[in-house]
Amino acid sequence: MVGSETSPALFSAAGLQRGVLGVLPILPAAVAFGLVYGVAAAEKGMSLMEVALSCMLIFAGASQLVALELWQEPLPIATMVIAVLVINLRHLLMGATVAPWFEGVGRARTWLSLYLMTDESWGVAVADRRRGHGDAAFLMGAGAALWLAWLSAGVAGHGMGNLTGDVDPALFAWLITGFFVVLLAGFWRGRGDLVPWLVAAAVALAAKAVLPGTWYILAGALAGSLLGAWLHVRRA
C-alpha cells in the first residue's frame, strides 16, 4: 500500500527487514570499499576516532575519498566542506524521488531514512518500488545495513593500515565503478533506458572538461534525470 492524501504511507518492521535483505548482495563490495578507505585514511595520518566519525557522520564513500585526498596540515576545512557539498548535491534529486513515499510517516522516521540514504540503498529501494512494493521502511533498512557495514569496515581497515603497503588509487575507481554497474543493472527495463544514461554520461564527461571541481556529477545527473522525465511524460 502506497501512501495517499487519506492514509499514511506504510512503514513496518517487515519493510525494514526486507530492506536489509535487499541490500545484502551489495554489502561485500561496501565492506571491501570501507576496508580500503580505512587503510588509506590510516596512511594519511587520520586517527581511529576520525575515521569512525567520518564513516558515522558523513557516510558517503565518494565524498569521504575526496576529503581524504584533501587531508593535510593545516586542514583546508572550507575546501573540504564545499567539495563534499557539491558531490552530495545529487541527493537533492534522490530525495525528491522518495519524498512521496513518506507522506504521513512522521518526521523522525523520514529524516533518519534520508540520513541513511546512499546511492546503493536508494537504488535498491527504487527497484523494489518498481516491483510493486510500497513500504517506506525498506529504504531505512537498506541504509542501516550499509551504514553498519561501512562503519565496521572503515574501522577495521584503519587497524590494518600498518600491516599493508600503499593503496593503489585505481582500486577506488574500480570499486566505485562496480557499485554503479550493479545499480544500473537493477534499473534496466529495456532499451528506452539507454538514452538518458548515455546523455548523463556524455554531459558529465563534457562538463568535467570545462567545469572545476566535481560539478560535472550534478550536471550529468540533471541532464539524465530531465531527459528521463521528459521521455516518461511523452510516453504517458
Side-chain angles (χ1 to χ4, degrees):
M1 179 181 69
V2 179
S4 66
E5 293 182 0
T6 59
S7 62
L10 178 63
F11 194 101
S12 69
L16 285 170
Q17 183 179 15
R18 286 183 50 253
V20 172
L21 295 176
V23 83
L24 285 181
I26 299 176
L27 288 186
V31 169
F33 196 0
L35 287 172
V36 174
Y37 169 75
V39 171
E43 293 177 353
K44 281 282 188 174
M46 292 179 65
S47 68
L48 178 61
M49 181 61 70
E50 288 168 338
V51 170
L53 287 175
S54 69
C55 292
M56 291 171 62
L57 301 178
I58 302 176
F59 184 41
S63 299
Q64 288 177 234
L65 290 177
V66 170
L68 190 61
E69 287 296 316
L70 297 172
W71 193 273
Q72 60 185 11
E73 295 293 341
L75 283 177
I77 295 178
T79 301
M80 293 171 71
V81 169
I82 293 173
V84 170
L85 177 62
V86 170
I87 291 174
N88 285 337
L89 282 176
R90 71 190 187 282
H91 283 257
L92 293 176
L93 301 173
M94 294 158 58
T97 301
V98 305
W101 304 358
F102 292 90
E103 293 179 4
V105 166
R107 291 185 179 180
R109 290 175 173 177
T110 299
W111 286 110
L112 181 57
S113 297
L114 292 176
Y115 169 72
L116 293 171
M117 183 177 68
T118 65
D119 298 288
E120 297 76 31
S121 62
W122 176 83
V124 296
V126 171
D128 183 68
R129 285 261 162 174
R130 288 180 174 176
R131 290 192 292 268
H133 301 291
D135 197 322
F138 186 100
L139 181 65
M140 182 188 288
L146 284 166
W147 182 87
L148 183 59
W150 179 249
L151 172 61
S152 302
V155 170
H158 185 277
M160 296 165 54
N162 294 329
L163 304 178
T164 61
D166 292 339
V167 179
D168 187 351
L171 182 57
F172 288 128
W174 280 106
L175 287 169
I176 294 172
T177 302
F179 269 132
F180 287 102
V181 167
V182 171
L183 287 177
L184 287 176
F187 280 124
W188 179 258
R189 295 178 298 178
R191 287 181 296 178
D193 289 336
L194 189 59
V195 175
W197 294 2
L198 291 176
V199 168
V203 171
L205 289 173
K208 187 176 182 180
V210 298
L211 295 177
T214 53
W215 286 101
Y216 68 93
I217 297 174
L218 184 61
L222 282 172
S225 298
L226 291 174
L227 178 58
W230 180 75
L231 290 174
H232 177 76
V233 170
R234 186 180 178 185
R235 297 189 193 107

